Amino acid sequence: LEPGFGAWPWPRMLHAGVIDFLARAGAKVIAYDVLFLEHDRRISFEAAGQSMRGADSDAALVEAVRRAGNVVLLSDAVYEGLEQDSGAGCDADTRPLAAPFPSDGRLPVRPHLKLPFTELARAARAVGHNYGVKYADGVPRDMWPFVTCGKDTLPSLGLAAAMAAAHVDPRTMPLDSDGRSLLNFRGPHRSAKGDFTYPTYSFFDVLLSEDRLSSGQPPAVDPGLFKDKVVFVGTSADGLSDIWTSPFGDRMPGVQLHMAMADDALSGRFMRRATPGQDRTLSWVTGLVAGVVATAVPVLWGVPILLAMAVTLIMWLTHAVGGGVWYGAVQPLAALALSAFGGVAWQYFVEGREKRRVSRLFGRYVSKDVFHLLMNDPDLARLGGARRRSEEHTSELQSRFGISYAVFCLK
């Protein structure tokens, strides 16, 4: 679009064309992950070789949103305000959905909430927030389904879209002590084969399809693909600072966070965090089993068994996440490693030291072969209660070790 309409942000009349096409296609909800906070105040700009005013472009967008009747717009809850700002900057009309919201102290309080410009906000079906925090590793794992500003409670864009599409009770959202909800991602943004987890289409192709339908030509994208669907519109360019690292290791646009939230709310496949008690139990059991293996099993057998335990534990934790339960992985793996190290060290420094002492003591009086025979079968060295003729010992030892003469008898 850049050759005809310039660099981002594009004129809002283009967004109007996309909304018209999606409404014509029968989309159930259109969620727009683009901020339209202020009026386009340009007096004149060039678009596709024609001169337009910013006010006309705004009016086209407002009218398209009003006609569709199912558009959920984005509000900015990230803005912290400036030093000269006084009081909370919460807009009065947040376009609340007709549903009860949680009202406890866990919900984050935002000092400012910036909505789309007034005419556009009033034309929208609902408004959702964009508040989220990146972790140090850049991987998002949760979102705040709700924020509060003043007396208003606002759902996130994804949850607002789910509430507009179906009768989703926001009180069913699982919240942790900080008011956040874990995201149960259905898959990566794009697989190694190039397939998208959620079908994705080019903004240009959708806009072109509306232009072609308006002129009686076949569209570039089949409108039937969007019928009765919850459709999200968002950006994917690296330069717009809305690119995240997914839990699957690939890069994904920020709109996929809202899509994951909507998917979880609509499907009921929420992710929940294991309780601290469950995490402690898993760590204790893992450490105990690993300790028993490390101390009771010879090292040559114990190490492979412990490695197999670690692999099995990782696979089980991954399966649990797939089932909607997130256990902490660091604690049980650390318990396994410490128990394994401690058990092997005990075998070497305690039990091994005793064996080495006995070896040095008896090695002075018996051959190495006899010593290993006794270490492997200590019952042969039992004291008293058994008398055997030396010829029997001689015959046995000759058959085992090929020696010509030996007498060994302990009482």
Side-chain angles (χ1 to χ4, degrees):
L1 290 174
E2 186 170 347
F5 298 96
W8 183 268
W10 297 322
R12 291 167 180 177
M13 65 178 186
L14 301 184
H15 299 286
V18 168
I19 291 172
D20 284 340
F21 175 79
L22 295 174
R24 185 201 300 263
K28 181 176 290 186
V29 172
I30 304 168
Y32 233 89
D33 187 25
V34 178
L35 289 170
F36 303 109
L37 303 180
E38 298 178 350
H39 289 283
D40 187 342
R41 302 188 183 282
R42 290 178 292 179
I43 299 175
S44 177
F45 63 90
E46 292 293 325
Q50 297 181 355
S51 178
M52 289 195 64
R53 295 189 311 152
D56 295 334
S57 186
D58 282 350
L61 177 60
V62 171
E63 187 58 32
V65 170
R66 183 178 291 110
R67 280 196 303 267
N70 61 352
V71 179
V72 179
L73 296 175
L74 187 67
S75 66
D76 183 14
V78 178
Y79 178 65
E80 297 287 349
L82 302 175
E83 292 185 1
Q84 60 267 29
D85 293 336
S86 60
C90 303
D91 291 306
D93 185 6
T94 56
R95 302 294 297 163
L97 291 153
F101 293 103
S103 58
D104 53 37
R106 292 179 294 173
L107 306 186
V109 178
R110 303 303 302 149
H112 292 267
L113 187 63
K114 303 181 72 174
L115 297 180
F117 62 88
T118 304
E119 298 87 350
L120 185 61
R122 290 175 178 172
R125 171 68 177 87
V127 175
H129 75 77
N130 63 346
Y131 186 55
V133 177
K134 285 188 176 181
Y135 287 87
D137 59 3
V139 180
R141 300 175 179 87
D142 50 34
M143 282 192 73
W144 279 281
F146 313 96
V147 298
T148 60
C149 188
K151 297 181 180 180
D152 295 320
T153 298
L154 196 67
S156 68
L157 180 69
L159 181 56
M163 294 170 62
H167 297 291
V168 174
D169 187 346
R171 294 172 298 181
T172 62
M173 294 296 296
L175 304 178
D176 64 13
S177 58
D178 295 323
R180 291 179 290 192
S181 181
L182 288 170
L183 295 174
N184 192 357
F185 289 92
R186 194 173 288 273
H189 172 58
R190 198 169 189 175
S191 69
K193 296 180 179 179
D195 299 325
F196 291 98
T197 296
Y198 300 106
T200 303
Y201 306 92
S202 163
F203 185 94
F204 174 80
D205 289 339
V206 174
L207 181 62
L208 178 62
S209 297
E210 172 60 21
D211 182 67
R212 288 184 174 179
L213 284 176
S214 299
S215 58
Q217 302 178 30
V221 180
D222 181 10
L225 297 171
F226 303 99
K227 185 174 178 56
D228 296 327
K229 298 293 193 300
V230 178
V231 182
F232 283 81
V233 181
T235 60
S236 59
D238 289 340
L240 298 179
S241 302
D242 195 23
I243 300 297
W244 303 65
T245 300
S246 82
F248 300 91
D250 64 329
R251 292 167 63 79
M252 66 178 182
V255 67
Q256 186 152 347
L257 298 174
H258 298 297
M259 294 164 68
M261 176 66 76
D263 192 359
D264 292 350
L266 289 170
S267 63
R269 46 187 301 276
F270 299 113
M271 177 76 72
R272 69 174 182 86
R273 185 73 168 85
T275 65
Q278 291 174 322
D279 278 337
R280 286 194 296 268
T281 300
L282 179 61
S283 299
W284 277 104
V285 171
T286 302
L288 178 63
V289 173
V292 171
V293 171
T295 54
V297 179
V299 175
L300 291 179
W301 285 98
V303 171
I305 292 175
L306 291 170
L307 289 175
M309 283 182 58
V311 172
T312 302
L313 177 61
I314 292 173
M315 294 176 62
W316 184 84
L317 291 172
T318 303
H319 178 74
V321 169
V325 182
W326 180 16
Y327 285 88
V330 175
Q331 296 92 335
L333 288 173
L336 189 151
L338 290 174
S339 297
F341 177 79
V344 171
W346 185 88
Q347 286 204 46
Y348 180 81
F349 290 107
V350 180
E351 185 177 345
R353 180 177 60 185
E354 185 66 19
K355 287 183 178 180
R356 289 191 294 273
R357 189 181 70 81
V358 173
S359 176
R360 288 194 301 270
L361 177 64
F362 280 88
R364 303 174 183 175
Y365 308 105
V366 299
S367 70
K368 182 187 298 185
D369 294 329
V370 174
F371 172 75
H372 285 301
L373 173 65
L374 292 175
M375 293 301 293
N376 292 329
D377 191 0
D379 289 341
L380 293 176
R382 63 184 182 273
L383 299 176
R387 295 185 178 182
R388 300 176 63 184
R389 296 180 58 187
S390 61
E391 292 83 2
E392 294 176 357
H393 289 285
T394 302
S395 175
E396 179 179 344
L397 294 173
Q398 282 180 335
S399 63
R400 294 197 181 191
F401 306 110
I403 57 178
S404 58
Y405 178 79
V407 176
F408 186 80
C409 186
L410 293 178
K411 291 187 179 180

